[in-house]
Amino acid sequence: MIAAQRLDPPVRQIDMADGPQLDATRLWQCDFLSREEQQALRSAVLPAKSVRPHTDLVREADRAGSLFIVVDGWACRYATTSAGARQLSAVLVPGDVGNLDTLMFDRLDYGVRTLTQAMIVALPRDRALALGTRYPGIGQAFTWLALMENAVLGKWALSLGRRSSIERLAHLLCELSVRLGAEKDNQSSFAFPLTQEQLADMLGLTPVHVNRTIQQLRAADLIVNVHRAMMLPDVARLRYLGGFDPAYLRVDRPARANIF
Amino acid sequence: MIAAQRLDPPVRQIDMADGPQLDATRLWQCDFLSREEQQALRSAVLPAKSVRPHTDLVREADRAGSLFIVVDGWACRYATTSAGARQLSAVLVPGDVGNLDTLMFDRLDYGVRTLTQAMIVALPRDRALALGTRYPGIGQAFTWLALMENAVLGKWALSLGRRSSIERLAHLLCELSVRLGAEKDNQSSFAFPLTQEQLADMLGLTPVHVNRTIQQLRAADLIVNVHRAMMLPDVARLRYLGGFDPAYLRVDRPARANIF
DNA sequence: CGAATATTTGAGGCCTATCAAAGTGAGTGG
DNA sequence: CCACTCACTTTGATAGGCCTCAAATATTCG
């Protein structure tokens, strides 16, 4: 076992006092939103709620009356087979929307569940629709989000279908590292609250095999993880192993499209 | 080997004379489009082109100047690992859009390629954006499409991550059967031009294993396929095997949302 | 009718699953 | 501050599903 320094506080403390902390929300990192639109969104959401880990915000096949936006903590979108096996179709980190399609579909075909203690903000469907109608930038942002989710999910399909367990894990860690904005030079470190069982449900593996795969990555000095924190000592090498190219995440310069 | 009757003409003949045959296009099966909007779309697209099988419409990481809409034949969206393995992230049948995210992203992170001889219509990006701005229904339709693709891809992830080869194949056939509108009572039959290699790239399997899996399905009397045609003698039983619930395809009554 | 493409079959091996149990760490209550 | 519990991680042994490599057969199309 590698003796590692502590990297980050294990789980960020949740501050109930600040109200809906939407400032970090990815929803307007896509530079579609004017200051006015940001304000409109901020005042349309319901007060943030603290939700315990492993709690369904929406169950599979439920109706959802609101869009759920993750403000702090981690959550996921998941589906289950008739045999009861679970597969995640998205990890949601602060700024992500859990159920975008509630905008247009009555019923979900997946569940949304917290992975950790989390702060969740709800945006009632009617208000979301009204905002989309009234503010063009918000409508664009919704579309942008839907397309981004598609891009990420497409890469997950590639991993699930065609990559070995170690490649999958490497790719996922690279993805999260970028999405969390945790990279600096060739290193990255971030709070990593997932259990190996949750990782297994993302990667389409068993928890036991995830454990063994993590050990391989550790042995190769590609990750250092202790205390719910993750450190990537050599991002370039991890990317190479996972076949990861960050272009699909469009972090550098989101396209500015004039639509709607 | 089961001796089966011929079910359908192997590949539909392509009629070049009718111009852009967009009438079957899913783009306006979501009942968002007024007659005027349909007309606007129809006159915005470039003349249909016939494209040979296994031809890239856009290569991975290419810029695309147009949205590509499949009018006849089949195509796919795909990505490849650095080792060269290919995984499809979507099958495109008549009515599907190949590269919706060209609306907002400069560069694709996947390729679009024909699987069969196909008729393809191009909708220049500028025109698509303009249409989305001018006609609210068209903007809605784009969003609806993006969300639908997400729903389908989410189920693919579930299959890839958590289902056995026979369940995956069963689920895929059920999906296609519904999307092609080929079901009647408990039976379904449709032209099925995919090679086993192409199937393998959808299912995350090897061609050899796909072959053996098909044989299992045949032995169980769940499929009858000859001459590039597919017949499902007992849809209910196939659905049960694949854990397929058609709700996520939203074929019955698309929600009518008032957005944008 | 012949070449190219696609399907089918066989044998053997590897990666990941399964089942079971031990070890570790965090939180709780006495 | 120390048992105690619960959840998570780790380890071991075995099995099985799918892959790999190779070649034969069938089908399509010029």
Side-chain angles (χ1 to χ4, degrees):
Chain A
M1 178 73 57
I2 302 168
Q5 307 161 346
R6 303 205 62 187
L7 302 167
D8 254 353
V11 176
R12 257 173 283 171
Q13 281 310 307
I14 291 165
D15 182 358
M16 299 282 294
D18 281 14
Q21 310 162 320
L22 268 173
D23 301 299
T25 298
R26 176 159 300 110
L27 205 52
W28 48 69
Q29 283 178 357
C30 52
D31 85 350
F32 293 133
L33 300 191
S34 66
R35 200 162 299 272
E36 183 194 0
E37 289 168 335
Q38 292 180 30
Q39 186 50 48
L41 257 179
R42 214 174 278 124
S43 59
V45 300
L46 304 180
K49 282 191 182 163
S50 181
V51 183
R52 318 190 58 179
H54 314 291
T55 306
D56 276 314
L57 301 176
V58 203
R59 234 168 296 241
E60 286 182 88
D62 264 7
R63 270 165 213 280
S66 293
L67 268 61
F68 295 106
I69 306 172
V70 179
V71 171
D72 193 77
W74 292 28
C76 71
R77 206 173 302 148
Y78 71 93
T80 51
T81 66
S82 44
R86 173 162 44 227
Q87 173 67 46
L88 305 199
S89 58
V91 213
L92 309 171
V93 298
D96 287 328
V97 179
N99 53 332
L100 236 205
D101 47 12
T102 291
L103 276 176
M104 305 198 76
F105 300 145
D106 282 337
R107 223 168 259 284
L108 295 183
D109 55 295
Y110 52 79
V112 179
R113 159 179 303 196
T114 55
L115 294 168
T116 68
Q117 180 81 244
M119 289 295 280
I120 305 291
V121 133
L123 175 59
R125 178 186 173 142
D126 313 334
R127 296 192 195 172
L129 292 172
L131 287 171
T133 306
R134 171 142 177 218
Y135 300 98
I138 294 179
Q140 287 176 49
F142 287 146
T143 303
W144 188 85
L145 279 177
L147 294 175
M148 277 301 304
E149 289 182 359
N150 241 299
V152 172
L153 194 45
K155 295 295 178 190
W156 279 33
L158 178 58
S159 274
L160 289 168
R162 293 301 188 201
R163 283 200 253 253
S164 69
S165 62
I166 196 168
E167 292 168 337
R168 277 183 230 183
L169 180 53
H171 194 279
L172 178 64
L173 292 175
C174 290
E175 178 197 316
L176 287 171
S177 167
V178 170
R179 287 175 56 190
L180 292 166
E183 300 194 352
K184 199 184 155 190
D185 301 323
N186 195 35
Q187 292 203 353
S188 179
S189 65
F190 45 94
F192 191 77
L194 300 178
T195 67
Q196 295 180 1
E197 187 179 3
Q198 292 167 340
L199 267 176
D201 288 338
M202 292 179 201
L203 299 171
L205 300 168
T206 57
V208 170
H209 199 68
V210 166
N211 182 280
R212 292 180 167 131
T213 307
I214 287 175
Q215 290 179 53
Q216 285 185 53
L217 241 31
R218 274 204 281 251
D221 291 323
L222 287 171
I223 68 174
V224 179
N225 83 308
V226 279
H227 289 304
R228 319 267 114 172
M230 181 69 67
M231 205 268 277
L232 314 180
D234 188 342
V235 171
R237 209 148 58 85
L238 192 67
R239 286 186 174 186
Y240 181 77
L241 173 60
F244 178 84
D245 173 355
Y248 75 100
L249 291 173
R250 276 100 181 176
V251 278
D252 295 336
R253 41 190 162 92
R256 183 191 313 268
N258 289 312
I259 77 172
F260 306 164
Chain B
M1 179 71 59
I2 301 169
Q5 307 161 347
R6 304 206 61 188
L7 302 169
D8 254 352
V11 176
R12 257 173 283 170
Q13 282 310 307
I14 291 163
D15 181 358
M16 299 282 295
D18 281 13
Q21 309 162 320
L22 268 173
D23 301 298
T25 299
R26 177 159 300 109
L27 206 52
W28 48 71
Q29 282 177 358
C30 52
D31 87 351
F32 292 132
L33 300 192
S34 67
R35 201 164 298 271
E36 183 194 0
E37 288 167 336
Q38 292 180 31
Q39 186 50 48
L41 256 179
R42 215 175 276 126
S43 59
V45 298
L46 303 180
K49 282 191 183 166
S50 181
V51 183
R52 318 192 57 179
H54 314 291
T55 307
D56 276 314
L57 301 175
V58 203
R59 234 168 297 243
E60 288 181 90
D62 264 7
R63 271 166 214 279
S66 292
L67 269 59
F68 295 107
I69 306 173
V70 179
V71 172
D72 194 75
W74 292 27
C76 71
R77 206 172 302 148
Y78 70 93
T80 52
T81 65
S82 43
R86 173 162 46 227
Q87 174 67 46
L88 305 200
S89 58
V91 212
L92 308 171
V93 298
D96 287 330
V97 179
N99 53 330
L100 236 203
D101 46 13
T102 291
L103 276 176
M104 305 197 78
F105 300 147
D106 282 336
R107 224 169 258 283
L108 295 184
D109 55 295
Y110 52 81
V112 179
R113 159 180 304 197
T114 54
L115 295 168
T116 68
Q117 180 80 243
M119 290 293 281
I120 305 291
V121 133
L123 175 60
R125 177 185 173 142
D126 314 333
R127 296 193 196 171
L129 293 171
L131 286 172
T133 306
R134 171 142 177 219
Y135 300 98
I138 294 179
Q140 287 177 48
F142 287 146
T143 304
W144 187 85
L145 279 177
L147 295 175
M148 277 300 304
E149 287 182 0
N150 237 291
V152 172
L153 195 46
K155 295 295 178 189
W156 280 34
L158 178 58
S159 275
L160 289 167
R162 294 301 188 199
R163 284 199 252 253
S164 69
S165 62
I166 196 169
E167 293 167 336
R168 277 183 230 182
L169 180 53
H171 195 279
L172 177 64
L173 292 175
C174 290
E175 178 197 315
L176 287 171
S177 167
V178 169
R179 286 175 56 190
L180 293 166
E183 300 193 352
K184 199 185 154 191
D185 301 322
N186 195 35
Q187 293 202 355
S188 178
S189 65
F190 47 93
F192 191 78
L194 301 179
T195 67
Q196 295 180 1
E197 188 179 3
Q198 292 167 340
L199 267 175
D201 287 339
M202 292 178 203
L203 299 172
L205 301 168
T206 58
V208 171
H209 200 68
V210 166
N211 182 280
R212 294 180 164 129
T213 307
I214 288 176
Q215 291 179 51
Q216 283 184 264
L217 241 30
R218 275 205 280 253
D221 293 322
L222 286 171
I223 68 174
V224 179
N225 82 308
V226 278
H227 287 304
R228 319 266 114 174
M230 182 68 67
M231 206 267 278
L232 314 179
D234 188 342
V235 170
R237 210 148 57 86
L238 192 67
R239 285 186 175 186
Y240 182 77
L241 173 60
F244 177 84
D245 174 354
Y248 75 99
L249 291 173
R250 275 100 182 175
V251 278
D252 295 335
R253 42 194 161 87
R256 183 193 312 266
N258 288 313
I259 76 172
F260 307 161

